[in-house]
Amino acid sequence: VIIGGATLLGNALNDLNKAPQAIGYLQKARQIGQSINDIDIQETALINLGNAYMKEMSPEQYIASFKAALPLADSLEDVYGKASALQGIALGLYYQRDYKKAAALLDSSIAFAKKYHQEKVLSDMLLLMSDIQIASGNIDLAGEYRSSYDSLTNQFMNVSLQKNIQELEVKYDVEKKQRMLLENRLLIEKRNSENLRQRRWLAIAATGI
């Protein structure tokens, strides 16, 4: 509970752009993970720390955090965690203006993300690679990566749109069925009421006879 609370609070503070406070809680979560030898907790804390250091614009510290997370992700066979760490390291190198190393790392990282279908991280990698190529003066190559990024982003949008349409269709079908059930119920109640009224009249007629 303490670990989860520290991680959640750290991430919440980071989302509120309170990185220094967030870093304190995330470091605490990592220390607890180390004390109980929980690799999963350590990896999560390190990746979240990297994200917090990004907001502090501390490239050396977030590169160190993501590098420390890499072997943990490998030991857990956490594909998403590894892809996120690789992208984080490349981003750090980009901010350090070490474009050559950043591009070389992204080259293999993009291939890794494609192989394991990590589309969300892949889109971030492609956009970053485009920026690196612009900074390196390779405008044509930057355009190619940007085009790949736009194509992948459009796929996300189409999938999201299709999902929303399907959800609306399901909701419409459910509402339609509920309306039909309500109409049938009202019809049955109306018929029962009419039958009851007919029985009453028959009873009155029989009494009169």
Side-chain angles (χ1 to χ4, degrees):
V1 176
I2 294 173
I3 300 167
T7 301
L8 286 172
L9 190 52
N11 288 335
L13 287 167
N14 195 37
D15 290 339
L16 293 170
N17 295 319
K18 296 182 178 180
Q21 298 94 316
I23 289 167
Y25 283 103
L26 293 169
Q27 285 175 336
K28 183 177 180 181
R30 183 193 179 190
Q31 289 165 2
I32 295 171
Q34 288 173 323
S35 67
I36 62 176
N37 197 29
D38 191 312
I39 297 174
D40 191 11
I41 291 170
Q42 293 177 60
E43 181 212 17
T44 302
L46 282 165
I47 290 175
N48 289 330
L49 268 171
N51 293 328
Y53 283 128
M54 279 185 184
K55 291 199 173 180
E56 280 287 273
M57 297 303 292
S58 305
E60 290 182 4
Q61 288 176 297
Y62 63 68
I63 287 175
S65 294
F66 286 124
K67 280 186 175 179
L70 269 180
L72 302 181
D74 280 331
S75 66
L76 292 168
E77 297 182 352
D78 179 8
V79 175
Y80 175 76
K82 181 173 182 176
S84 297
L86 288 169
Q87 199 270 340
I89 295 169
L91 184 60
L93 291 169
Y94 168 75
Y95 281 125
Q96 288 181 330
R97 299 186 180 182
D98 196 341
Y99 304 131
K100 190 174 180 179
K101 278 187 181 179
L105 177 60
L106 273 180
D107 230 10
S108 58
S109 301
I110 287 170
F112 175 82
K114 284 181 179 178
K115 180 179 178 181
Y116 292 100
H117 308 290
Q118 297 300 306
E119 281 78 11
K120 176 62 180 72
V121 185
L122 176 59
S123 67
D124 293 337
M125 290 178 177
L126 291 169
L127 184 59
L128 177 58
M129 184 64 113
S130 177
D131 291 341
I132 289 170
Q133 296 305 326
I134 290 172
S136 302
N138 303 319
I139 304 303
D140 290 341
L141 197 54
E144 291 177 17
Y145 282 108
R146 180 59 196 234
S147 178
S148 297
Y149 165 78
D150 290 339
S151 176
L152 189 58
T153 302
N154 287 336
Q155 288 180 33
F156 284 148
M157 291 176 66
N158 290 337
V159 169
S160 179
L161 180 62
Q162 186 64 33
K163 184 180 178 182
N164 289 338
I165 290 171
Q166 289 173 349
E167 288 176 352
L168 287 171
E169 286 176 345
V170 169
K171 184 180 179 182
Y172 173 76
D173 287 341
V174 169
E175 290 178 349
K176 184 179 178 181
K177 288 176 182 177
Q178 288 176 338
R179 188 169 62 252
M180 288 176 64
L181 287 171
L182 180 60
E183 288 173 354
N184 288 335
R185 182 180 173 185
L186 291 172
L187 184 60
I188 290 169
E189 288 179 355
K190 182 180 178 182
R191 287 175 180 172
N192 289 339
S193 178
E194 289 175 352
N195 290 337
L196 179 60
R197 191 161 53 248
Q198 288 176 357
R199 286 198 297 272
R200 285 177 178 171
W201 280 110
L202 288 172
I204 292 171
T207 302
I209 292 170

